[in-house]
Amino acid sequence: MKTYKVVGIGNAIVDVISPADDSFLELMGIGKGIMQLVERERGELLYAAMKDRTQAPGGSVANTLAGIGNLGLSTAFIGRVHDDALGRFYARSMEEGGTAFVNAPVPGGDLPTSRSMIFVSPDGERSMNTYLGISSDLGPGDVADTVAGEAEFLYLEGYLYDKPMGKQAFERAAKLCREKGGQAGIALSDPFCVDRHRDGFRRLVRDLDYVIGNEHEWCALYQTELPEALDLAAADAGLVVCTRSGQDVIVRRGQDRADVAVTPITPVDATGAGDQFAAGFIFGLATGQGIEVAGRMGCIAAAEVIGHYGARPETDLGALFRKAGLL
């Protein structure tokens, strides 16, 4: 038995969420519906412009772990925060949510804890402006053998490839996990991230056990239309998952394919939809479910999170799975 059912590695980011209409986004030069990296000065400007702020621990992989923890599995997160108010809030919140935050907040240095200013439009679309701060310093020294090597499933954040040290941390974690018999997978993160690291990500698709992305990310990875992109991915990877906004989720494992229906929902806040899909799907894998059931679990978890503000579930996901006859 491993110490952890699922370990994630990624950026530890405090989400700061505020409502905003399209005219405000245009006034502030904020790209609607995308994630943009910003420098410290820009981040402070946007933070000051936010009204009715709410604050929550975030980061894509950390959000996924929170969903898996909601379902009762043992989880741990490999991330990096500063020993400041936001960093201590982040570490404490992860622990209180049931996920081991295995690296203590780092004292000293100039870089503060990472934060993402998220503006939510009336249509539920979210526009993310992320200042990475100390997360950009995550490196292989932050990856302990006793954590990555003790994971049955490892989930990696593609954004880590944007920094050489993050890439090294990422690859060390995957190596430790797989050498000890665990399974390692990746989230492709976004099409722009894929464009920046296409060759590296194609290698990871071949090397890792599972890969989760949306239709735009898969098309960017293989530079072709979706059907051909997924055929190429299925030939390369052990398990391929493709989410499509409002349309069936496609799961491919070798010659096996599942098309999982999605129930259309008007989102209150689309933040975390992909993160919680991954939570439900990985929970399915980790508990021995087939690819169709795992996909259905992912869709239910995603539907829950877009029904309220914030990127983490507020309802017992296990109860929702039981209601749907999946548990």
Side-chain angles (χ1 to χ4, degrees):
M1 292 290 292
K2 299 279 190 178
T3 305
Y4 303 107
K5 199 72 172 180
V6 184
V7 170
I9 176 170
N11 290 310
I13 299 171
V14 176
D15 286 341
V16 187
I17 305 168
S18 173
D21 58 25
D22 288 355
S23 62
F24 175 85
L25 299 182
E26 184 176 353
L27 175 67
M28 299 300 292
I30 297 169
K32 184 176 180 179
I34 63 173
M35 195 286 287
Q36 293 178 301
L37 293 177
V38 299
E39 298 300 324
R40 188 171 184 169
E41 183 177 350
R42 170 73 169 166
E44 291 173 350
L45 172 69
L46 293 176
Y47 183 84
M50 302 181 91
K51 297 180 179 179
D52 301 320
R53 294 187 295 250
T54 59
Q55 180 175 290
S60 178
V61 166
N63 291 337
T64 295
L65 291 174
I68 295 170
N70 175 284
L71 287 158
L73 301 188
S74 57
T75 57
F77 179 60
I78 300 169
R80 191 174 179 87
V81 297
H82 190 230
D83 189 13
D84 54 17
L86 283 181
R88 292 188 292 273
F89 162 78
Y90 191 96
R92 182 176 65 252
S93 298
M94 292 294 291
E95 292 281 350
E96 290 173 351
T99 293
F101 190 79
V102 296
N103 297 327
V106 179
D110 296 327
L111 293 175
T113 295
S114 310
R115 71 286 312 268
S116 182
M117 281 61 68
I118 302 173
F119 296 91
V120 182
S121 305
D123 60 3
E125 191 63 80
R126 82 277 195 221
S127 308
M128 305 172 68
N129 301 265
T130 303
Y131 169 60
L132 284 179
I134 199 171
S135 280
S136 61
D137 282 350
L138 183 73
D142 295 305
V143 180
D145 295 28
T146 52
V147 178
E150 284 296 318
E152 289 189 30
F153 285 81
L154 182 72
Y155 188 48
L156 306 160
E157 186 174 304
Y159 286 127
L160 289 183
Y161 251 54
D162 280 333
K163 296 289 184 179
M165 293 288 284
K167 178 179 177 180
Q168 292 172 34
F170 183 115
E171 294 186 344
R172 170 173 162 77
K175 183 173 185 288
L176 287 169
C177 173
R178 301 187 82 219
E179 283 181 348
K180 296 293 184 65
Q183 296 187 46
I186 182 178
L188 293 177
S189 293
D190 78 24
F192 304 108
C193 187
V194 171
D195 287 338
R196 292 191 295 270
H197 308 293
R198 184 172 291 108
D199 290 343
F201 280 9
R202 284 189 179 179
R203 177 176 58 80
L204 288 170
V205 169
R206 293 190 296 271
D207 291 347
L208 298 182
D209 300 288
Y210 62 97
V211 184
I212 300 175
N214 64 36
E215 57 185 317
H216 307 295
E217 292 156 3
W218 285 114
C219 290
L221 185 62
Y222 288 98
Q223 297 178 285
T224 187
E225 297 300 312
L226 187 62
E228 184 180 0
L230 292 183
D231 285 343
L232 292 169
D236 284 345
L239 177 60
V240 170
V241 184
C242 177
T243 60
R244 301 182 296 162
S245 180
Q247 300 182 63
D248 290 0
V249 173
I250 301 170
V251 187
R252 302 277 299 270
R253 176 186 273 157
Q255 296 302 311
D256 294 333
R257 172 173 172 151
D259 293 82
V260 182
V262 173
T263 301
I265 295 174
T266 300
V268 173
D269 172 13
T271 309
D275 303 339
Q276 295 312 318
F277 173 85
F281 187 82
I282 294 170
F283 173 82
L285 294 183
T287 54
Q289 305 293 338
I291 58 174
E292 182 174 0
V293 170
R296 290 176 64 193
M297 288 176 165
C299 292
I300 290 171
E304 189 281 338
V305 81
I306 67 174
H308 57 77
Y309 277 107
R312 300 187 176 192
E314 294 181 350
T315 305
D316 180 346
L317 295 179
L320 296 179
F321 293 171
R322 286 187 289 274
K323 184 178 179 180
L326 302 180
L327 288 178

